[in-house]
Amino acid sequence: MGNIYAGVDLGGTTVKLGLLTDEASLIRKWEIPTRKDDGGKQVIPDIAASIKKNMEEEGIRFSELAGAGLGVPGPIRQDGYLEVCVNIGPGMRDMNPVKDLSGLLGGIPVKGGNDANVAALGEMWQGGGKGYRDVVAVTLGTGVGGGVILDGHIVAGSKGMGGEIGHMVMDWDWKEAEVCNCGNRGCLEQIASATGIARHARIFMRESDRPSVLRDLQRVTARDVFDAAKAGDGLAEDVADYCMMYLARAMAYVSQVVDPEIFVIGGGVSRAGQYLLDLIKEHYDPLIKLTRGKAKLALARLGNDAGIYGAAKMVIDEREK
Ligand SMILES: [Zn+2]
């Protein structure tokens, strides 16, 4: 069958895995739980065993495995050294999961990256950024994630945390009363994540007595906000507009630094679709003055598979170097 690559997306609760060819065809994908007992020491051995087992079930000889890519939810350096993986446990601290996985897979090339960056690479390869080489991916989920791809390669930075746009402080007026997960206050994530949008809906409702369909809901979600905004609910429109204005400002800052061809917007909030893109564009375009051409905006296409694709692509590129 030729060269087969394993793409691994390690998350706090599940590990998503896939077997791909270098032509990007996904032969098989599956998930295993992230085993946290022993502080997460079993996670990498579980991954290696699961890859072997699934190759066997697929009838692929182990010798055809040409490499594996690994996305991890933490700061991972180019050499594979991982400082900490807070979502998993102390067994994944000050260690090298890349070397460990390579050793368990017979010494094949393994390449590691931060999960958000790896997902961005996946979207560039086979998703919303397909056909482009300079791509910034923005994930609006529980938090705000980001990944910068320049000339087809992840901009990982010195500690593997390049593209971490969710913790750019955007609210310098200190309107934000709560402290972000990272310890700062006024981070983009506190405004433009699904959680941030829902929280701002509550703040907007508290601060005025304007009527809104959102007031009838027990627990407002970002999805409710966008559904109501699309239906013309004034308060919901204002919440969506406020939150996406901050996102657009952050994207404009990113643009001035890395000048992407396209932003790919993913995560749960991106289900708001074209309405969301139009709203971001309305705030983003006027901030870009130095060039006539503005970066394009597109929706992510790979969903939860982006990390698998990106991880495989990372090691394919490494081998072709
Ligand atoms: Zn933060």
Side-chain angles (χ1 to χ4, degrees):
M1 197 180 267
N3 287 335
I4 302 294
Y5 296 88
V8 183
D9 181 12
L10 170 56
T13 45
T14 58
V15 187
K16 299 182 181 68
L17 302 103
L19 295 172
L20 293 94
T21 67
D22 39 17
E23 301 296 310
S25 90
L26 182 60
I27 299 165
R28 167 183 279 228
K29 65 168 176 171
W30 70 99
E31 284 184 19
I32 58 172
T34 305
R35 195 143 59 98
K36 289 187 184 163
D37 34 283
D38 214 2
K41 282 207 168 73
Q42 300 308 317
V43 170
I44 299 298
D46 281 356
I47 289 170
S50 181
I51 290 170
K52 287 181 181 168
K53 178 171 158 276
N54 278 270
M55 288 186 74
E56 199 179 312
E57 284 173 16
E58 200 63 46
I60 305 169
R61 287 195 312 274
F62 182 66
S63 60
E64 288 180 85
L65 187 66
L70 175 67
V72 298
I76 184 164
R77 287 194 321 220
Q78 294 288 331
D79 61 3
Y81 170 79
L82 178 67
E83 191 182 309
V84 65
C85 219
V86 284
N87 290 338
I88 296 176
M92 290 202 72
R93 177 187 284 267
D94 288 322
M95 46 97 71
N96 193 314
V98 167
K99 279 197 182 131
D100 291 355
L101 185 59
S102 176
L104 292 164
L105 293 175
I108 59 161
V110 175
K111 180 82 184 145
N114 169 265
D115 55 359
N117 291 339
V118 172
L121 186 66
E123 285 291 341
M124 182 213 73
W125 190 33
Q126 294 298 320
K130 193 172 179 178
Y132 297 92
R133 300 277 294 169
D134 299 310
V135 177
V136 172
V138 177
T139 307
L140 307 174
T142 315
V144 173
V148 175
I149 310 295
L150 287 185
D151 195 25
H153 299 286
I154 290 172
V155 178
S158 60
K159 292 173 281 298
M161 292 305 275
E164 197 62 56
I165 65 166
H167 300 284
M168 289 169 67
V169 174
M170 297 305 298
D171 168 21
W172 288 109
D173 305 325
W174 309 119
K175 280 177 292 196
E176 180 59 69
E178 288 178 27
V179 176
C180 179
N181 291 329
C182 74
N184 260 325
R185 201 150 56 91
C187 289
L188 178 64
E189 176 161 305
Q190 290 182 285
I191 309 170
S193 64
T195 328
I197 295 165
R199 199 166 54 89
H200 278 82
R202 291 195 294 276
I203 294 170
F204 274 55
M205 284 192 278
R206 200 164 58 225
E207 289 180 349
S208 84
D209 45 19
R210 287 166 71 190
S212 168
V213 294
L214 299 178
R215 293 188 189 277
D216 302 331
L217 302 171
Q218 280 270 304
R219 193 181 150 274
V220 175
T221 64
R223 187 188 185 138
D224 298 327
V225 172
F226 277 98
D227 285 349
K230 285 179 192 173
D233 184 278
L235 187 133
E237 283 177 324
D238 287 355
V239 174
D241 190 69
Y242 177 87
C243 296
M244 292 307 107
M245 173 184 74
Y246 276 102
L247 175 65
R249 287 178 182 174
M251 286 164 53
Y253 295 156
V254 172
S255 263
Q256 306 291 17
V257 180
V258 300
D259 187 21
E261 299 168 275
I262 189 166
F263 283 94
V264 177
I265 316 287
V269 174
S270 72
R271 282 194 289 262
Q274 193 60 42
Y275 180 93
L276 175 76
L277 296 186
D278 291 345
L279 191 53
I280 298 169
K281 190 174 169 58
E282 194 184 308
H283 289 290
Y284 171 83
D285 281 1
L287 297 175
I288 305 298
K289 297 267 196 263
L290 289 174
T291 54
R292 257 173 303 156
K294 319 291 184 202
K296 296 183 180 69
L297 299 179
L299 297 169
R301 281 196 221 133
L302 299 177
N304 288 332
D305 294 345
I308 295 173
Y309 278 94
K313 176 62 172 160
M314 201 163 50
V315 73
I316 291 170
D317 288 347
E318 184 74 6
R319 285 194 78 230
E320 285 171 358
K321 257 187 202 167

